[in-house]
Amino acid sequence: FTKQELINLLRVPPDKIAVVHHGTNPRFKPIRDEASLERVKSKLSLPDRFILFVGHLEPRKNLVRLIQAFGMLKSKTKLPHKLVILGRKSWGYKPIFEAAERCDASSDVIFTGYVDEGDLPLVYNLADALAFPSLYEGFGLPLLEAMACGVPVVTSNVSSLPEVAGEAAILVDPYNVEEIANGLAAVLENEALRHESIGKGL
């Protein structure tokens, strides 16, 4: 995807570009150490069941629609999950917090701020799903990190994200709030789909 952007926008000849895909740090893996998981859960005051977002808080990450989709999901289902948004504030972050305040499930939207890199694999392992409906990514490393930890992923069908996710993730239209909500519901409620996504992700 980034190669094509370079060709289209900067007119770089294709034969001058070599694509090297990312891998993940080996620390991103399924973790069964209950003491370590409980330590991070307590340290960050994480709920028992949650949907996770990882990334900077900025417009490109589409967090306003994710929060709206989460509110829709909570109003339509009895899912016990909260939405945990992990990452630093970046440019244009204020509408994200305003959306959280307006959300019918506002008390279930949790902002952790920055989390130590050493704790991040444990946070992934505690999550029931990664929601990453970004509007634009050059790659999208949280997808790989979540999949390596055995966490099912719901992500966008635009930019680089289908390339990174392959057949392992649930792909949704990031501009469609209802589609984001339905994608999350599918991966949280459909056990067969959930296990299939985890297996393909790993």
Side-chain angles (χ1 to χ4, degrees):
F1 172 75
T2 302
K3 174 181 177 178
Q4 201 57 50
E5 293 280 84
L6 291 169
I7 294 166
N8 294 345
L9 298 173
L10 302 179
R11 304 290 185 255
V12 179
D15 60 358
K16 290 198 170 189
I17 305 169
V19 175
V20 182
H21 287 93
H22 283 288
T24 54
N25 190 301
R27 70 174 182 267
F28 291 99
K29 60 185 178 182
I31 297 170
R32 303 288 177 253
D33 181 349
E34 292 296 332
S36 295
L37 292 166
E38 196 56 44
R39 174 186 61 78
V40 166
K41 183 180 176 185
S42 176
K43 176 181 175 181
L44 299 174
S45 300
L46 296 173
D48 291 334
R49 309 288 301 276
F50 64 93
I51 299 160
L52 178 66
F53 166 86
V54 176
H56 290 307
L57 278 57
E58 60 187 48
R60 174 171 65 95
K61 300 297 183 178
N62 204 27
L63 284 163
V64 170
R65 289 191 186 90
L66 173 58
I67 291 166
Q68 292 169 346
F70 175 70
M72 184 181 293
L73 179 69
K74 293 291 282 186
S75 69
K76 287 183 174 180
T77 71
K78 294 182 179 179
L79 286 168
H81 297 74
K82 298 183 187 295
L83 174 62
V84 172
I85 296 174
L86 184 157
R88 287 193 177 102
K89 294 175 184 174
S90 188
W91 68 280
Y93 70 87
K94 287 185 179 178
I96 297 165
F97 286 89
E98 290 166 1
E101 288 173 11
R102 288 193 305 270
C103 178
D104 290 339
S106 59
S107 61
D108 290 335
V109 180
I110 300 165
F111 294 91
T112 67
Y114 174 76
V115 169
D116 293 337
E117 285 194 13
D119 291 337
L120 190 53
L122 292 154
V123 176
Y124 277 116
N125 271 269
L126 289 163
D128 283 339
L130 177 77
F132 199 74
S134 182
L135 301 175
Y136 184 92
E137 295 291 330
F139 189 78
L141 204 51
L143 270 61
L144 287 195
E145 293 170 348
M147 289 191 287
C149 291
V151 179
V153 171
V154 177
T155 193
S156 303
N157 61 6
V158 299
S159 73
S160 65
L161 297 166
E163 179 185 353
V164 176
E167 296 181 355
I170 306 300
L171 299 179
V172 297
D173 176 356
Y175 296 96
N176 187 321
V177 171
E178 186 170 6
E179 199 167 312
I180 297 169
N182 290 342
L184 290 169
V187 86
L188 294 171
E189 293 182 319
N190 184 328
E191 279 300 314
L193 178 64
R194 179 179 178 77
H195 286 300
E196 182 182 356
S197 293
I198 291 170
K200 286 181 175 178
L202 290 168

